[in-house]
Amino acid sequence: MTKEFSSIVELKSIREQKSRLSEREQELSSPILTDFTLIPEIYEWFKEILSGMACPPNPDSVTQRKKFLFIVLFLFAPSVLAGGRLPNGIRAEISGVFPDVSPCVISNNIADVSFIYQQYKDFRQDIEYLYNQILERLKIKGLIK
């Protein structure tokens, strides 16, 4: 086969790889929840879980807000944590649980949370604990399997 014609085989391979990657991206970016009206209830759970910790932190602190934001984004829009677009309506619902925080601050926090999660072990451990507790409550309510 000539060099020029071998490019057809390479092109076919590239298309197959792109297809597999697109399928995997779709799987990873599929949200666990889609009903944004659950966000206030999840925030109440979040505060309850924090209050039950050995040394309960202030649920209104910036750090706790960022933890909540990470969890909500992972549940409702995981692709945002990898630089994707924020779905319409979610920022407004998140703003509703933080009435003293402007939507711009929430958007700025979104840019931070993935970095903080990757860089800080304590932040990551807290999120994993809180997330698992919230998942249990979602299962109990029959909202996820």
Side-chain angles (χ1 to χ4, degrees), residues 32-76:
I32 295 168
L33 298 171
T34 56
D35 181 2
F36 298 156
T37 63
L38 292 170
I39 291 174
E41 183 173 9
I42 293 170
Y43 185 59
E44 291 304 314
W45 295 344
F46 178 83
K47 292 190 301 187
E48 286 174 22
I49 296 163
L50 285 178
S51 70
M53 294 174 87
C55 183
N58 176 359
D60 299 325
S61 75
V62 173
T63 302
Q64 301 314 314
R65 180 177 68 230
K66 288 181 179 185
K67 290 175 187 175
F68 177 73
L69 188 58
F70 186 95
I71 292 167
V72 165
L73 292 174
F74 189 79
L75 289 169
F76 290 92

Side-chain angles (χ1 to χ4, degrees), residues 105-125:
V105 170
I106 290 171
S107 293
N108 292 338
N109 286 174
I110 290 170
D112 293 344
V113 294
S114 284
F115 175 80
I116 295 169
Y117 179 84
Q118 292 171 355
Q119 297 299 315
Y120 297 99
K121 182 181 177 184
D122 291 343
F123 188 86
R124 188 169 48 251
Q125 288 173 333

Side-chain angles (χ1 to χ4, degrees), residues 1-45:
M1 188 177 333
T2 66
K3 180 181 171 188
E4 291 82 16
F5 292 145
S6 67
S7 65
I8 294 170
V9 173
E10 184 180 3
L11 181 59
K12 182 178 179 185
S13 173
I14 289 169
R15 286 188 175 157
E16 289 169 356
Q17 290 175 32
K18 283 173 57 177
S19 176
R20 283 193 304 272
L21 287 172
S22 290
E23 288 173 16
R24 184 65 179 143
E25 180 183 21
Q26 187 64 33
E27 288 172 19
L28 294 172
S29 63
S30 294
I32 295 168
L33 298 171
T34 56
D35 181 2
F36 298 156
T37 63
L38 292 170
I39 291 174
E41 183 173 9
I42 293 170
Y43 185 59
E44 291 304 314
W45 295 344

Side-chain angles (χ1 to χ4, degrees), residues 86-99:
L86 193 64
N88 291 337
I90 193 169
R91 188 170 73 163
E93 203 63 49
I94 293 169
S95 294
V97 299
F98 301 115

